[in-house]
Amino acid sequence: MTTKLSNLERLIINQLIDTGLFTSSPIKPTNEMTDAVLALKKTIVQNHINNYLNDLIGINPENIQENLLLTLGSDYESPETVHVLLATLKAVINLPELQNNTSDRAVLTQTIVRQVRSEVVDLDEKEVQRLITDLFVERFKLFTVDFPDLVQSEQNQEISEYWNISPDFNLFAQAIINRLTSRQEIVMSDVQRVNQALLINRYISPKMSPHLWGVLLDKKNKIAEQWENLDRFDLECGDDYALLLDKKRQQVKSRPAVVAIDVAHEIHAGISENELNQMIKDNIEKLFPSKKITVSQVKESLNNFDLIKVKHDFVYPAPIIKRFSIEDKISQEQIHE
């Protein structure tokens, strides 16, 4: 019988699902997060987390001094992504600015990008920065974007972007290297493959994954029970689809999110990233012509709601967009910033 997870164990696992990391030095240490950090020092808690994730998706998180890393998805199968990942680890570890454990851990973004670019010569600087941002800013959240305070001046000033580096960076660098260099071949059961597919895509259909669909129908009750233990996702099964519905998602009320949903519905077979920017502008003008909404706000919503997938500079709608719709008449009073 599966051990029921505690609330703190669920918090740690959900953090791993959302970012791939659980850090012992959280940027915003709430009381609950502080309690979770203390709980993770207990062997029984570590065992519960390992057993649950192994049973669910066939993977144990890498543990370095009570800092957890969960590598899940196809990101680690791309040679160019792994190259950028490892080159970034090397570049940051060797930064002179961070050698003395200084409290100021802000590093000029271009310093890191150019150092990585010198190692990853097959990609241009723009693509290198995009991959670093996807991995270390968006996914792992080991870098946070920062801009220096501008001094009042009549002259135009160039605004330089900085990345604040997490004090736990070296620990996670070791965890990532351990996982990527591990020679242990992970053998997954069919149920674990189904759960991985659900977690990565939030969606399975008989057309997309005929074998997994058969397993899902055969083991539906067991799979649903596994997800119920986490108390976050509901497994919804229709005649030709299965979805993980996230209880953390709230009803969409912000204008940027509404625009993002409309854009994702219009992408269809896929468009370039440049075309995406114009489509966002057109939909802002169509839905909220008198409101100030930026392209970056809409892109943030596209990513936060997992509405798009980006591959080789092309943008595709994520399957979960089928679960989002916009009423024909949008109440301006009900939708707010």
Side-chain angles (χ1 to χ4, degrees):
M1 183 175 177
T2 304
T3 302
K4 187 174 177 63
L5 297 170
S6 70
N7 288 336
L8 292 178
E9 289 164 352
R10 291 189 182 110
L11 185 152
I12 293 168
I13 293 169
N14 281 322
Q15 183 81 16
L16 288 172
I17 287 173
D18 289 337
T19 69
L21 295 177
F22 181 82
T23 171
S24 59
S25 304
I27 295 174
K28 297 179 181 179
T30 62
N31 290 339
E32 191 176 25
M33 187 65 74
T34 301
D35 291 342
V37 170
L38 293 174
L40 189 58
K41 296 181 181 296
K42 300 177 181 177
T43 303
I44 189 171
V45 172
Q46 295 177 24
N47 288 340
H48 285 172
I49 291 169
N50 287 341
N51 291 340
Y52 176 77
L53 286 172
N54 188 60
D55 187 46
L56 185 75
I57 56 176
I59 300 176
N60 287 341
E62 196 75 29
N63 188 332
I64 301 289
Q65 298 180 27
E66 284 80 51
N67 292 272
L68 302 181
L69 166 73
L70 183 68
T71 51
L72 178 69
S74 59
D75 288 354
Y76 306 97
E77 297 171 7
S78 161
E80 65 182 21
T81 301
V82 172
H83 197 177
V84 169
L85 178 64
L86 294 175
T88 305
L89 298 181
K90 178 181 176 182
V92 173
I93 289 172
N94 291 327
L95 282 170
E97 300 97 309
L98 303 181
Q99 294 302 313
N100 298 322
N101 294 320
T102 175
S103 59
D104 181 8
R105 299 183 63 83
V107 179
L108 191 65
T109 296
Q110 281 304 306
T111 299
I112 297 175
V113 171
R114 286 169 183 164
Q115 183 61 43
V116 174
R117 171 68 177 80
S118 70
E119 299 252 351
V120 187
V121 295
D122 293 337
L123 302 178
D124 60 25
E125 278 197 12
K126 179 182 176 184
E127 182 64 8
V128 166
Q129 183 164 345
R130 185 185 73 79
L131 285 171
I132 296 174
T133 300
D134 286 349
L135 288 166
F136 291 93
V137 179
E138 302 295 338
R139 168 174 267 208
F140 294 140
K141 303 190 187 306
L142 288 171
F143 299 171
T144 53
V145 178
D146 192 14
F147 294 93
D149 294 331
L150 296 179
V151 179
Q152 296 248 344
S153 171
E154 295 181 359
Q155 297 179 347
N156 291 332
Q157 299 180 61
E158 182 179 347
I159 302 176
S160 299
E161 179 182 292
Y162 284 75
W163 280 330
N164 274 309
I165 312 299
S166 167
D168 288 329
F169 185 87
N170 286 12
L171 293 175
F172 283 114
Q174 185 61 57
I176 291 169
I177 291 170
N178 288 353
R179 178 51 56 94
L180 291 177
T181 57
S182 172
R183 296 185 179 182
Q184 180 182 1
E185 185 177 349
I186 298 174
V187 180
M188 290 186 293
S189 68
D190 284 341
V191 168
Q192 289 166 336
R193 292 182 190 279
V194 169
N195 284 330
Q196 277 213 24
L198 285 170
L199 192 54
I200 293 168
N201 301 309
R202 305 292 166 91
Y203 177 89
I204 289 180
S205 70
K207 182 178 180 181
M208 180 176 72
S209 311
H211 174 67
L212 295 182
W213 181 255
V215 176
L216 176 69
L217 294 181
D218 187 46
K219 304 287 187 180
K220 182 168 63 175
N221 291 338
K222 177 184 178 180
I223 291 170
E225 184 180 330
Q226 287 179 309
W227 288 109
E228 284 173 5
N229 195 3
L230 191 56
D231 194 26
R232 171 172 174 183
F233 298 102
D234 288 327
L235 180 66
E236 177 181 294
C237 294
D239 293 336
D240 60 354
Y241 73 91
L243 276 174
L244 271 187
L245 298 178
D246 193 341
K247 297 177 184 178
K248 288 175 64 175
R249 295 189 188 278
Q250 302 297 318
Q251 183 178 3
V252 176
K253 294 183 178 180
S254 76
R255 296 187 184 108
V258 170
V259 175
I261 293 168
D262 203 42
V263 166
H265 276 295
E266 288 188 14
I267 292 174
H268 301 304
I271 60 175
S272 70
E273 289 192 270
N274 289 336
E275 291 175 305
L276 176 64
N277 289 339
Q278 188 58 50
M279 181 181 285
I280 290 173
K281 292 175 184 177
D282 292 343
N283 279 269
I284 291 172
E285 181 62 26
K286 177 182 73 174
L287 294 171
F288 303 105
S290 61
K291 302 298 180 181
K292 186 177 180 181
I293 303 171
T294 66
V295 170
S296 61
Q297 286 176 316
V298 176
K299 281 189 170 181
E300 184 178 1
S301 291
L302 284 167
N303 291 319
N304 287 345
F305 286 93
D306 299 321
L307 299 179
I308 58 172
K309 303 291 183 185
V310 181
K311 188 173 183 180
H312 302 308
D313 293 330
F314 267 78
V315 181
Y316 303 90
I320 201 170
I321 188 57
K322 296 172 185 280
R323 288 292 302 175
F324 289 85
S325 63
I326 300 177
E327 295 180 4
D328 292 336
K329 294 182 179 179
I330 300 173
S331 169
Q332 299 293 329
E333 288 76 23
Q334 292 179 348
I335 297 176
H336 54 78
E337 298 291 1

